[in-house]
């Protein structure tokens, strides 16, 4: 047949065939394919013949035809993997102790990282789920006085602001949130006889769902809040009140008077929202709400600022422009006396959770500092755990030098050896991962407690997150396997098979290992010192003398009840019980905070905002306060109902002369000051003691403070309840102990103290594990040396001393490094507090001694075994 | 005693007998298309031939190279005794059955 003019079949298909096909068969197959190609070319179009050629090349790509070595390589690979896996498992079991250390260390590290990173991610993504989140701002209010001194920064602003602003700027939508925060309302489902106090009830405008993107499970967001009596409840609340019955259309009574109808059911708000509501109703009810909660001073004007107000701006409107609108707005509507002293800075919605620490935040916000601390802790722990993991893997691998040597001699190449080690370390790291998952599920509750926030499962179970954790574990496994693998596989087999084992790292561990151990201990020591400092500061806050007696005081909320108006009768009944020492009605929780109110001091031009408490005549007595000058209120003097008692700092406001006979203006009347009480902490310890006044005004009473005797407190509280039901049979009795409530203020410090405490324990545990592994390794290397020493007459104790000397020095270095760093961090943190402890050097010494002790124990535990070995055994191989 | 055999294998076996000394993948493929009007890919034929050889019905030898194949050798297949007997037996059984069948006319 013709040759040069014969068309050739497609070259690349041909080459592909040559590449994969087994040498024995390629000739025939290729020949057949070429022959039929040419035959086809004469019958059909060349293109078709080419297509068929390609198709047949592809179809010939079968196991039967593939090059034998390739095929065997695949098979072999599979077998080798199986072999590796079996060997890895055997190795793990053989050295259970090491394996346990490695795996548990890494598991703890992984679990901590998982928990902390889900926490951090949650905190950083607050309020981002709203569709319009970029364009939502909150108005805040700053009150200053004439001197320009800022008196209050508030997260909430007056009622009329929102709607008036929206009327002036129709492009902008506003919404208000109002809570009856002075009194937790009672919500009752009459038919089901379910009645609970609910503090997550918000009254809002019908624009709520236009601005915020909370999902509704049932109901229409456009109309859910149109009716004045509408009530939107969350799915959890529907479950709580109505069980499995449909909730739509049912009626819940607010404070047993206002009937609200369920118009929609919302999905529970996401965890990363700066406010999480359980009930929503409308502000159209506000007058009735005031009435129902006994709030006679509810002011819908421009003075009182109880509403959290938000604005949604249209695209393109910048924050500066909005701020400019606000600046124009203020003088138009606020009373001229107030307007110059007010500012309304805007806050971006997404900034609120981490940067806003104003008065009257809806929920406790966090700050960036805690996030940094959390991230730092996670990084420390995982670094320590990974270092341990790698160290121990490397330490062990030198002991397997003989095994590696034998393999080499039997012909395995570098890649196969590497595979062996990698399989083993990957296996270990994945076992750690499984263990870590178990740990995480066990630690959820304690972790939620420490961070004071529920865990966001949508993040934890997010496939991306899980994938990232998986990859991370993979990475660690690879890293940990690669380093020692390279070390071990690179020497000559001959050396390893000699009687002495391979001195992988020499008699003393190399610098890099030593510095790693130092680093581990240093960070652990910093954490321990931190834990001690935080704990001390917390204890200090709890135990600091507030200046008044806060123990054994039962506080009973009385706002909106008949007891408020009949407080003297109520007290009289209480005092019939010998367990009751004294009682006093008052307007606020002493030691928590006392709100600012305007008081006009005689001789001053303007009223000042000063913390003012309204209490009855038994107040000073009940709290064990000392009158320094003048006198206490006296029951016998009716005129004392129109007098003031002030504290020392207030008295100093009249810089000249004394306070005697001076008057303070309140409620349009001047009242004389009759006495000066010692300065005490009427607000929490985060604030300095400011000027403070007390006067009589029963309309403001919110609590009855009852001092009871320490004996039989439980019985006493029961008795109190009996008296309560005489006055208010229908209402639940909800007392609390004042000192417990005050301790809760320092909740965040307590949490931090716990958090740092836990993590310092974890990190020292990991560091100890690391030291254990390391000493084990180096002790093993010195077995012979120790044997010789024993033969020469050394005692067990002297050998232990010898072994620990090396490492003790390391620990001392770690301490020296840690102390300055810990001191710096502690100072930084303590600077947040107005009242704080002094840093006691004893703390540092204790931490140092503890770490030294721990490490010596660890080393001895390890060295003991070796020191006790019979020299004849250890010197056997020589 | 007869090993099981698929219908394509049977046909290929017959063709190998028919083509006598000239049976290899290409000629078998050509004969098949001539007889049945359908075509089979070369690799498919290779597979069948390999199976038949494994079962011992045919045997192979490497033969002449031609230009058309770019100078590559061919693998020829011949029928074995076992193969021949199997083929004969199968066909006989089929014929017997067919003779027993009534001649139906569908008008």
């Amino acid at each position: 047949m013709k040759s040069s003019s014969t068309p050739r079949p497609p070259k690349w298909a041909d080459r592909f065939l040559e590449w994969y096909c087994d040498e024995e068969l390629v000739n025939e197959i290729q020949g057949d394919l070429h022959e039929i190609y040419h035959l086809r070319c004469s019958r059909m179009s060349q293109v078709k013949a080419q297509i068929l050629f390609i198709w047949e090349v592809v179809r010939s790509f079968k196991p039967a035809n593939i090059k034998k070595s390739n095929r065997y390589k695949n098979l072999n690979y599979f077998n080798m993997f199986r072999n590796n896996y079996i060997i890895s498992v055997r190795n793990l079991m053989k050295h259970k102790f090491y394996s346990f250390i490695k795996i548990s260390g890494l598991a703890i590290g992984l679990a901590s990282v998982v928990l902390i990173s889900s926490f951090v991610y949650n905190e950083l993504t607050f309020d981002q789920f709203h569709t319009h989140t970029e364009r939502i701002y909150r108005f805040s209010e700053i009150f200053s006085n004439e001197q320009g001194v800022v008196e209050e920064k508030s997260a909430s602003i007056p009622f009329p602001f929102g709607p008036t602003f929206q009327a002036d700027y129709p492009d902008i939508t506003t919404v208000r949130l109002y809570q009856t925060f002075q009194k937790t309302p009672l919500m009752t489902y009459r038919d089901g006889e379910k009645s609970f106090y609910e503090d997550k009830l918000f009254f809002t405008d019908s624009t709520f769902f236009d601005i915020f993107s909370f999902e509704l499970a049932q109901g229409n967001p456009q109309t859910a809040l149109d009716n004045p009596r509408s009530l939107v409840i969350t799915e959890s609340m529907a479950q709580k009140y109505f069980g499995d019955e449909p909730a739509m259309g049912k009626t819940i009574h607010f404070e047993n008077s206002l009937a609200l109808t369920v118009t929609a059911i919302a999905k529970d708000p996401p965890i990363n929202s700066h406010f999480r509501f359980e009930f929503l109703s409308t502000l159209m009810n506000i007058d009735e709400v005031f009435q129902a909660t006994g709030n006679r001073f509810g002011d819908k004007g421009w003075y009182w600022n109880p509403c959290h107000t938000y604005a949604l701006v249209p695209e393109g409107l910048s924050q500066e422009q909005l701020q400019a609108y606000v600046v124009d707005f203020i003088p138009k509507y606020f009373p001229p006396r107030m307007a110059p002293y007010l500012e309304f800075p805007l806050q971006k919605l997404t900034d609120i959770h981490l940067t806003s620490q104003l008065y009257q935040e809806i929920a406790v916000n966090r700050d960036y500092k805690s996030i940094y601390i959390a991230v730092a802790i996670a990084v420390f722990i995982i670094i320590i755990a990974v270092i341990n993991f790698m160290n121990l893997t490397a330490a062990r691998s030198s002991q397997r030098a003989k095994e590696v040597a034998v393999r080499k001699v039997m012909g395995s190449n570098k890649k196969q050896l590497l595979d062996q080690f990698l399989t083993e370390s990957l296996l270990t790291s994945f076992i750690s991962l499984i263990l870590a998952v178990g740990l995480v599920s066990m630690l959820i509750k304690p972790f939620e407690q420490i961070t004071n926030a529920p865990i966001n499962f949508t993040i934890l179970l997010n496939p991306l997150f899980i994938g990232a954790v998986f990859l991370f574990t993979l990475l660690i496994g690879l890293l940990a396997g690669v380093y020692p693998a390279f070390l071990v596989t690179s020497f000559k087999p001959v050396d390893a098979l000699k009687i002495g084992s391979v001195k992988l790292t020499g008699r003393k561990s190399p610098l890099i290992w030593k510095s790693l151990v130092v680093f581990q201990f240093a960070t652990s020591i910093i954490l321990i010192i931190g834990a001690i400092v935080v704990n001390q500061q917390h204890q200090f806050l709890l135990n600091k003398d507030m200046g008044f007696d806060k123990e054994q005081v039962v506080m009973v909320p009385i706002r909106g009840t008949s007891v408020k108006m009949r407080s003297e009768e109520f007290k009289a009944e209480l005092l019939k019980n010998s367990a009751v020492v004294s009682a006093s009605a008052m307007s606020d929780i002493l030691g928590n905070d006392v709100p600012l109110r305007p008081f006009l001091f005689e001789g001053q031009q303007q009223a000042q905002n000063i913390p003012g408490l309204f209490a009855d005549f038994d107040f000073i007595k009940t709290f064990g306060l000392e009158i320094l000058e003048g006198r206490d209120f006296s029951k016998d003097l009716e005129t004392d109902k129109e007098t003031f008692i002030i504290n020392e700092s207030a008295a100093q406001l009249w810089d000249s002369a004394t306070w005697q006979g001076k008057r303070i203006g309140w409620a349009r009347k001047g009242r004389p000051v009759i006495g000066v009480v010692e300065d005490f902490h009427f607000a929490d310890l985060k604030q300095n003691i400011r000027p403070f006044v007390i006067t009589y005004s029963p309309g403001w009473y919110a609590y009855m403070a009852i001092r009871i005797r320490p004996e039989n407190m439980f019985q006493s509280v029961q008795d109190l309840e009996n008296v309560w039901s005489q006055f208010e049979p229908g209402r639940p009795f909800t007392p609390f102990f004042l000192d417990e409530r005050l301790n809760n203020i320092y909740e965040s410090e307590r949490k931090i103290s716990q958090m740092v405490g836990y993590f310092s324990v974890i990190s020292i545990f990991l560091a100890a594990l690391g030291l254990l592994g390391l000493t084990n390794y180096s002790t093993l290397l010195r077995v012979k040396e120790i044997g010789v020493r024993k033969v020469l007459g050394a005692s067990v104790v002297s050998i232990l001393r010898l072994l620990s000397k090396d490492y003790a020095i390391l620990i001392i270095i770690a301490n020296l490094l840690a102390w300055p760093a810990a001191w710096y961090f502690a100072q930084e943190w303590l600077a947040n507090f107005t009242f704080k402890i002094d840093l006691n050097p004893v703390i540092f010494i204790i931490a140092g001694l503890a770490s030294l002790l721990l490490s010596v124990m660890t080393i001895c535990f390890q060295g003991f075994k070796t020191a006790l070995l019979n020299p004849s055994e250890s010197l056997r191989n020589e | 005693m007869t090993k099981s055999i698929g219908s394509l294998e049977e046909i290929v076996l017959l063709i190998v007998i028919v083509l006598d000394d000239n049976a290899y993948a290409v000629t078998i493929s050509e004969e098949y298309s001539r007889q049945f009007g359908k075509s089979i890919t070369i690799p498919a034929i290779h597979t069948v031939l390999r199976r038949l050889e494994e079962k011992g019905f045919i045997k192979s030898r490497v033969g002449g190279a031609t230009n058309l194949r770019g100078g590559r050798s061919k693998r020829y297949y011949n029928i074995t005794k076992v193969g021949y007997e199997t083929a004969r037996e199968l066909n006989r059984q089929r014929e017997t059955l067919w003779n027993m069948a009534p001649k139906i006319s569908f008008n």
Side-chain angles (χ1 to χ4, degrees):
Chain A
M1 306 246 39
K2 318 168 197 140
S3 50
S4 49
S5 59
T6 323
R8 294 219 51 197
K11 245 200 208 145
W12 58 270
D14 221 8
R15 262 195 283 195
F16 177 53
L17 177 67
E18 281 164 20
W19 174 76
Y20 73 70
C21 192
D22 183 43
E23 285 102 16
E24 306 261 293
L25 303 170
V26 69
N27 249 324
E28 311 149 14
I29 297 180
Q30 201 176 29
D32 284 340
L33 289 178
H34 277 230
E35 191 176 327
I36 203 155
Y37 171 76
H38 289 121
L39 285 175
R40 284 178 181 143
C41 279
S42 56
R43 287 184 212 146
M44 53 180 82
S45 66
Q46 189 184 0
V47 174
K48 189 141 190 252
Q50 282 179 328
I51 292 177
L52 283 171
F53 182 85
I54 296 170
W55 175 237
E56 290 188 334
V57 166
V58 168
R59 291 287 305 207
S60 300
F61 186 70
K62 310 180 212 193
N65 293 337
I66 292 180
K67 281 198 177 129
K68 281 207 184 66
S69 50
N70 271 346
R71 200 192 333 154
Y72 285 161
K73 214 182 262 185
N74 284 337
L75 269 184
N76 198 27
Y77 201 66
F78 176 68
N79 267 331
M80 275 312 284
F81 181 72
R82 212 164 51 99
N83 180 270
N84 280 345
Y85 175 75
I86 293 174
I87 291 182
S88 303
V89 172
R90 245 188 246 145
N91 273 332
L92 278 183
M93 296 310 288
K94 234 199 303 176
H95 305 275
K96 287 208 188 77
F97 185 63
Y98 273 121
S99 310
F100 171 72
I101 294 182
K102 276 201 293 193
I103 292 178
S104 54
L106 190 61
I108 292 176
L110 284 174
S112 315
V113 162
V114 163
L115 285 173
I116 292 184
S117 51
S118 84
F119 164 72
V120 166
Y121 186 75
N122 184 41
E123 296 290 314
L124 290 177
T125 55
F126 259 65
D127 298 314
Q128 286 180 9
F129 56 90
H130 299 289
T131 330
H132 309 298
T133 189
E134 286 301 302
R135 297 188 275 132
I136 304 179
Y137 297 89
R138 184 172 74 172
F139 297 97
S140 67
E141 186 169 3
I142 300 188
F143 297 86
S144 315
N145 62 12
E146 301 95 42
Q147 285 85 36
V149 174
V150 170
E151 287 182 339
E152 185 181 316
K153 294 190 190 178
S154 172
S156 51
I157 67 178
F159 271 100
F161 193 104
T164 318
F165 194 85
Q166 182 167 340
D168 271 8
Y169 301 98
D171 280 344
I172 299 176
T173 319
T174 62
V175 70
R176 298 169 290 177
L177 291 176
Y178 171 73
Q179 280 178 290
T180 56
F181 52 83
Q182 288 138 325
K183 179 181 191 313
T184 311
L186 187 66
M187 298 291 271
T188 315
Y189 174 46
R190 288 188 176 155
D191 292 343
E193 290 176 347
K194 292 252 167 54
S195 184
F196 301 96
Y197 285 105
E198 300 287 357
D199 62 355
K200 294 208 175 73
L201 164 64
F202 291 83
F203 292 92
T204 182
D205 297 312
S206 53
T207 48
F208 183 82
F209 290 106
D210 296 331
I211 298 188
F212 296 118
S213 314
F214 291 106
E215 276 182 67
L216 289 182
Q218 293 180 43
N220 184 344
Q222 312 286 7
T223 59
L225 291 164
D226 283 353
N227 186 321
R229 298 279 186 269
S230 323
L231 183 67
V232 177
I233 68 177
T234 59
E235 287 179 322
S236 317
M237 289 299 112
Q239 184 67 32
K240 181 172 164 187
Y241 283 79
F242 305 112
D244 294 321
E245 287 171 27
M248 293 288 278
K250 290 228 173 25
T251 306
I252 291 190
H253 284 84
F254 171 82
E255 285 286 293
N256 262 324
S257 56
L258 194 55
L260 301 170
T261 317
V262 177
T263 52
I265 302 181
K267 288 202 175 299
D268 287 0
I271 295 188
N272 48 0
S273 171
H274 80 280
F275 72 97
R276 303 185 71 215
F277 62 89
E278 287 176 336
F279 297 88
L280 291 174
S281 185
T282 71
L283 281 167
M284 297 181 251
N285 291 323
I286 195 62
D287 293 316
E288 285 143 313
V289 170
F290 284 155
Q291 209 175 22
T293 54
N295 187 350
R296 285 196 299 142
F297 298 93
D299 165 27
K300 291 186 296 176
W302 298 86
Y303 287 93
W304 190 34
N305 56 331
C307 290
H308 293 89
T309 308
Y310 304 81
L312 174 66
V313 305
E315 298 265 6
L317 192 75
S318 70
Q319 186 170 347
E320 291 75 31
Q321 283 172 301
L322 183 62
Q323 192 72 66
Y325 288 166
V326 173
V327 169
D328 290 338
F329 181 81
I330 300 175
K332 269 165 75 175
Y333 296 96
F334 278 87
R337 275 193 318 121
M338 285 176 77
Y341 304 110
L342 296 175
E343 279 174 71
F344 287 81
L346 294 165
Q347 300 174 298
K348 276 183 74 78
L349 182 69
T350 44
D351 285 342
I352 291 179
H353 179 71
L354 287 172
T355 58
S356 183
Q357 301 284 348
L358 303 172
Y359 189 62
Q360 288 285 18
E361 296 282 356
I362 300 182
V364 177
N365 284 336
R366 230 178 269 276
D367 53 279
Y368 274 110
K369 262 219 176 92
S370 341
I371 310 279
Y372 293 150
I373 293 178
V375 171
I377 290 178
V379 168
F380 273 160
I381 289 189
I382 197 65
I383 287 183
I384 291 179
V386 170
I387 290 176
N388 267 349
F389 193 76
M390 289 175 56
N391 268 352
L392 287 171
T393 314
R396 275 254 309 111
S397 59
S398 70
Q399 291 169 339
R400 298 169 54 188
K402 281 215 186 94
E403 174 203 335
V404 173
V406 169
R407 277 178 184 257
K408 275 196 169 176
V409 165
M410 299 294 280
S412 53
N413 57 28
K414 272 224 175 115
K415 184 171 180 309
Q416 287 170 324
L417 288 173
L418 191 66
D419 280 349
Q420 169 66 57
F421 283 104
L422 279 183
T423 313
E424 196 170 323
S425 65
L426 279 174
L427 181 69
T428 321
S429 64
F430 276 106
I431 293 180
S432 306
L433 182 62
I434 294 173
L435 200 63
V437 168
L439 274 177
V440 164
S441 56
M442 281 202 303
L443 291 174
I444 285 185
K445 272 267 174 302
F447 191 76
E448 283 184 344
Q449 266 215 342
I450 299 177
T451 56
N452 202 22
I455 290 210
N456 194 334
F457 282 100
T458 41
I459 293 177
L460 209 58
L461 299 174
N462 185 338
L464 275 178
F465 184 75
I466 294 181
V469 169
F470 207 71
L471 274 176
F472 184 65
T473 317
L474 194 70
L475 195 68
I476 294 179
L478 285 175
L479 267 178
V482 159
Y483 169 61
F486 273 121
L487 276 181
V488 169
T489 57
S490 54
F491 56 82
K492 294 210 200 73
V494 170
D495 293 334
L497 289 173
K498 277 202 262 193
I499 296 302
S501 59
V502 170
K503 298 274 196 287
L504 189 63
T505 50
R507 192 186 142 232
K508 297 201 196 334
S509 326
L511 195 58
I512 188 166
W513 280 19
K514 281 185 174 169
S515 40
L516 286 177
V517 169
V518 167
F519 175 73
Q520 284 178 310
F521 268 91
T523 55
S524 308
I525 293 169
I526 293 178
L527 280 177
I528 292 178
I529 293 179
I532 298 179
V533 166
V534 173
N535 191 29
Q536 276 195 344
Q537 172 66 8
H538 181 237
Q539 288 300 323
F540 170 76
L541 289 175
L542 287 184
N543 297 331
K544 181 160 185 353
D545 187 8
M546 304 276 281
F548 64 92
D549 297 330
K550 55 180 177 163
E551 293 82 15
Q552 273 111 250
V553 174
V554 178
M555 301 285 281
V556 182
I558 61 175
R559 184 190 285 277
T561 68
S562 60
V563 174
K564 187 170 97 167
M565 302 323 298
R566 300 159 63 192
S567 57
E568 292 299 323
E569 274 181 62
F570 187 64
K571 265 202 289 190
E573 275 299 313
L574 291 173
L575 285 164
K576 286 187 184 161
N577 187 336
S578 58
V580 175
V581 174
S582 69
S584 168
M586 46 207 284
S587 57
D588 302 282
I589 299 177
L590 204 64
N592 179 4
D593 203 2
V594 175
L596 303 173
R597 305 185 214 271
F599 295 100
L600 182 58
F601 276 56
E602 187 176 317
Q604 304 258 1
Q605 292 292 81
Q606 298 267 31
Q608 310 206 30
N609 280 322
I610 294 202
L613 183 72
F614 300 106
D616 67 21
F617 290 177
D618 291 313
F619 173 74
I620 305 284
K621 191 176 61 178
T622 308
F623 288 98
L625 295 165
E626 203 183 313
I627 299 275
L628 296 176
E629 296 171 48
R631 59 179 183 81
D632 191 359
F633 297 117
S634 167
K635 277 209 175 64
D636 307 318
L637 293 175
E638 216 18 62
T639 52
D640 268 2
K641 287 195 178 163
E642 306 264 328
T643 58
F644 272 95
I645 291 185
I646 63 180
N647 72 352
E648 294 171 74
S649 307
Q652 280 154 19
L653 286 180
W654 282 301
D655 33 29
S656 61
T658 61
W659 50 271
Q660 280 277 16
K662 294 260 193 337
R663 303 171 84 81
I664 298 182
W666 168 250
R668 282 182 239 100
K669 273 202 287 190
R671 300 182 176 190
V673 178
I674 58 168
V676 177
V677 71
E678 56 174 345
D679 270 351
F680 65 96
H681 291 279
F682 53 86
D684 63 61
L685 288 170
K686 295 183 181 161
Q687 311 195 40
N688 268 318
I689 300 185
R690 298 164 284 165
F692 175 69
V693 303
I694 311 168
T695 191
Y696 181 81
S697 190
W700 288 90
Y701 291 160
Y703 301 95
M704 178 66 73
I706 310 172
R707 177 172 294 283
I708 57 178
R709 289 198 198 288
E711 304 85 33
N712 296 326
M713 285 210 273
F714 183 69
Q715 181 61 41
S716 314
V717 174
Q718 296 268 50
D719 297 338
L720 296 181
E721 183 162 6
N722 291 337
V723 178
W724 173 266
S725 26
Q726 287 173 29
F727 286 74
E728 285 280 338
R731 271 188 194 271
F733 179 60
T734 52
F736 55 90
F737 277 95
L738 181 61
D739 46 5
E740 281 174 20
R741 173 64 67 96
L742 293 182
N743 286 346
N744 288 343
I745 298 174
Y746 310 112
E747 197 55 13
S748 63
E749 280 70 33
R750 187 177 76 83
K751 298 291 186 188
I752 293 184
S753 162
Q754 262 189 323
M755 185 161 70
V756 181
Y758 275 122
F759 285 112
S760 66
V761 166
I762 292 180
S763 93
I764 197 93
F765 176 67
L766 290 176
L769 283 185
L771 184 60
L772 189 65
L774 199 59
T775 54
N776 186 321
Y777 166 72
S778 63
T779 314
L780 274 170
L781 282 185
R782 298 169 69 169
V783 161
K784 293 207 183 64
E785 174 199 338
I786 295 174
V788 170
R789 283 181 189 264
K790 282 195 85 170
V791 166
L792 292 178
S795 67
V796 173
V797 172
S798 69
I799 291 179
L800 283 179
R801 236 184 318 142
L802 177 74
L803 290 173
S804 40
K805 206 174 44 162
D806 277 340
Y807 293 100
I809 295 180
L810 288 183
I811 304 301
I812 293 178
I813 296 179
N815 267 295
L816 291 176
L817 286 177
W819 289 355
W823 189 85
Y824 173 72
F825 288 130
Q827 290 285 64
E828 278 294 301
W829 184 71
L830 284 175
N832 284 333
F833 296 90
T834 333
F835 295 96
K836 55 184 182 280
I837 56 171
D838 297 313
L839 279 182
N840 195 336
V842 175
I843 302 176
F844 294 84
I845 297 183
I846 291 181
L849 282 176
S851 58
L852 207 58
L853 189 67
L854 181 65
S855 48
V856 167
M857 270 171 38
T858 312
I859 297 166
C860 288
F861 170 73
Q862 189 47 57
F864 215 65
K865 258 196 318 179
T866 325
L868 287 179
L869 266 184
N870 197 327
S872 65
E873 301 224 358
S874 45
L875 295 173
R876 184 168 300 204
N877 284 335
E878 218 52 74
Chain B
M1 205 217 87
T2 344
K3 298 199 187 105
S4 67
I5 187 167
S7 78
L8 181 59
E9 286 178 12
E10 235 190 277
I11 294 170
V12 167
L13 193 61
L14 280 175
I15 295 180
V16 166
I17 301 175
V18 163
L19 290 177
D20 206 15
D21 266 343
N22 197 31
Y24 63 102
V26 179
T27 49
I28 294 174
S29 167
E30 296 279 285
E31 188 63 36
Y32 186 90
S33 356
R34 207 174 302 138
Q35 290 291 334
F36 295 94
K38 294 191 290 190
S39 60
I40 314 187
T41 59
I42 297 287
I45 296 187
H46 281 152
T47 313
V48 173
L49 288 171
R50 215 164 285 161
R51 279 212 293 266
L52 288 173
E53 185 166 18
E54 267 169 39
K55 292 177 186 177
F57 294 150
I58 54 180
K59 59 180 192 277
S60 67
R61 65 175 201 279
V62 177
T66 67
N67 253 345
L68 209 55
R69 295 168 69 88
R72 298 179 185 89
S73 45
K74 311 178 200 183
R75 187 169 282 269
Y76 287 102
Y77 291 86
N78 287 95
I79 193 78
T80 60
K81 180 158 179 274
V82 177
Y84 186 75
E85 279 169 4
T86 311
R88 190 181 56 189
E89 188 61 25
L90 281 170
N91 281 297
R92 199 189 52 74
Q93 286 165 347
R94 200 154 285 141
E95 248 191 86
T96 315
L97 271 178
W98 183 245
N99 287 334
M100 285 180 1
K103 306 294 174 260
I104 307 174
S105 91
F106 291 83
N107 283 341

